[in-house]
Amino acid sequence: QVQLVESGGDLVQAGGSLRLSCAASGGTFSSYTMAWFRQAPGKEREFVAGLGRSGVSKWTTDSVKGRFTISRDNVKAMVYLQMNSLKPEDTAVYYCAAKSTVLNIMMRSSYNYWGQGTQVTVSS
């Protein structure tokens, strides 16, 4: 059983930056595929970025390519999402997710473990 706790969400102006953190405990962190999802009001939860077990393989959704970077520290059992050039449409609750498989990294239903979320609000 893996527990995930996100932090770093805040209110920021458009064009600004934030770094989200996700602390994992209770499992073998290096064996999990990790990802960030987000959910805006009235919308479904969507994939933002994902990362393979070693941190080498990365995926990001098109809307954040070139602006967001996902990374992990397997020693500290942490996952990060560096968000630059933030836009009002990035406003959402951001969730950290983990799973033991490597397939279907963008598929929300394939993830077994979720954090409670952290709010990111980008003002125009």
Side-chain angles (χ1 to χ4, degrees):
Q1 188 79 10
V2 176
Q3 290 81 45
L4 303 172
V5 179
E6 304 96 333
S7 61
D10 205 345
L11 170 63
V12 64
Q13 287 190 334
S17 298
L18 280 176
R19 188 175 86 151
L20 304 183
S21 300
C22 173
S25 62
T28 305
F29 180 75
S30 59
S31 68
Y32 290 98
T33 297
M34 301 299 298
W36 288 95
F37 287 75
R38 68 185 180 185
Q39 188 167 18
K43 295 188 177 181
E44 291 192 353
R45 194 171 298 187
E46 65 173 356
F47 174 83
V48 176
L51 194 60
R53 296 164 178 170
S54 67
V56 174
S57 299
K58 300 181 182 183
W59 297 262
T60 51
T61 195
D62 287 345
S63 62
V64 307
K65 271 189 171 69
R67 301 189 298 122
F68 291 11
T69 303
I70 188 172
S71 61
R72 69 190 294 165
D73 185 330
N74 283 348
V75 174
K76 295 181 179 179
M78 297 287 294
V79 179
Y80 306 99
L81 186 67
Q82 178 66 43
M83 306 187 294
N84 299 327
S85 302
L86 282 161
K87 304 176 181 180
E89 51 263 44
D90 295 318
T91 295
V93 177
Y94 283 71
Y95 297 91
C96 179
K99 63 176 182 175
S100 56
T101 62
V102 298
L103 299 177
N104 302 316
I105 194 166
M106 298 184 182
M107 187 182 298
R108 180 184 64 196
S109 61
S110 70
Y111 286 83
N112 310 102
Y113 307 105
W114 293 86
Q116 83 289 349
T118 185
Q119 176 70 49
V120 172
T121 303
V122 184
S123 63
S124 57

